[in-house]
Amino acid sequence: MTSHERIGSALNSGNLKNDLYHFDADLIAALAFVSRLGSQLQHLASAGQAQELQPAVAELGRVLKKACQRKKLGISNQDAQAAALQAMREWLIKICRTCNGSGQRLLSYEGKLRAPGACNHCEGTGLFKPTWRWRREMMRLDAEASQDWWDKRIELGKEIAEDAYRSARRKVHAQMQEMSEE
């Protein structure tokens, strides 16, 4: 069972015993050694419950505001929260919605075969690639909103989320290795 599956199982279980020697509670305890944001993102990615999204977005907004201050990028608390919410949306969407992650053109809605080749939206990567129009609609920004201003802050938010998530995974894995060696 992967760590994601074990975290999700532990968070949604009444019985935390995993095997004769280990408990899923050990995995939850290992999360205590990671950053608050990393722990929330692990929890969100593992259990995936809607009530976990807002605390993670609030923490990402707080961390994003500090990062913007360090990089001398101006941002208000309200804009930091808006950028954090959008960054979280994009961080959670992993695959291109146009080709469903295949990187190839799919059938049209009418069932007609499109010319073979790479997906035009993701350029064949299969990864989600947001457009400014989609971002503007999701964030309910007016047409005069600065694309460059928002893009910098949203991308920074996604980088922060990914770094915190990967760091948390490494630390949890290291803690679990340490526990199993004892």
Side-chain angles (χ1 to χ4, degrees), residues 163-176:
D163 289 347
Y165 178 74
R166 286 187 179 175
S167 174
R169 286 193 59 156
R170 280 193 303 274
K171 287 181 181 179
V172 167
H173 180 71
Q175 280 297 120
M176 294 307 293

Side-chain angles (χ1 to χ4, degrees), residues 111-130:
K112 298 175 186 166
L113 187 60
R114 295 179 178 156
C119 172
N120 294 337
H121 184 74
C122 68
E123 298 167 352
T125 65
L127 301 174
F128 177 71
K129 184 178 172 186

Side-chain angles (χ1 to χ4, degrees), residues 19-38:
D19 59 28
L20 291 176
Y21 307 104
H22 298 94
F23 294 85
D24 281 336
D26 295 336
L27 194 59
I28 302 303
L31 285 172
F33 292 97
V34 302
S35 72
R36 184 174 176 188
L37 179 60

Side-chain angles (χ1 to χ4, degrees), residues 41 43 61 94-96 120 123 125 129 137 140 144 150 157 165-166 180:
L41 293 174
H43 194 189
K94 300 292 184 201
I95 63 171
C96 174
N120 294 337
E123 298 167 352
T125 65
K129 184 178 172 186
E137 287 173 8
R140 295 185 177 101
E144 289 80 40
W150 282 104
Y165 178 74
R166 286 187 179 175
S180 66

Side-chain angles (χ1 to χ4, degrees), residues 44-113:
L44 182 62
S46 299
Q49 297 173 352
Q51 69 268 20
E52 296 157 350
L53 181 62
Q54 196 53 43
V57 169
E59 182 63 13
L60 179 58
R62 187 186 69 74
V63 174
L64 177 61
K65 171 109 170 128
K66 284 184 176 182
C68 284
Q69 288 172 341
R70 278 193 308 276
K71 292 182 177 265
K72 305 214 184 314
L73 296 172
I75 194 165
S76 67
N77 286 335
Q78 184 178 355
D79 287 345
Q81 289 300 312
L85 177 59
Q86 184 61 27
M88 187 65 70
R89 279 184 191 121
E90 294 178 20
W91 182 78
L92 289 168
I93 301 171
K94 300 292 184 201
I95 63 171
C96 174
R97 291 180 170 188
T98 303
C99 67
N100 291 326
S102 71
Q104 300 298 311
R105 291 186 187 135
L106 302 175
L107 292 174
S108 68
Y109 285 111
E110 296 84 32
K112 298 175 186 166
L113 187 60

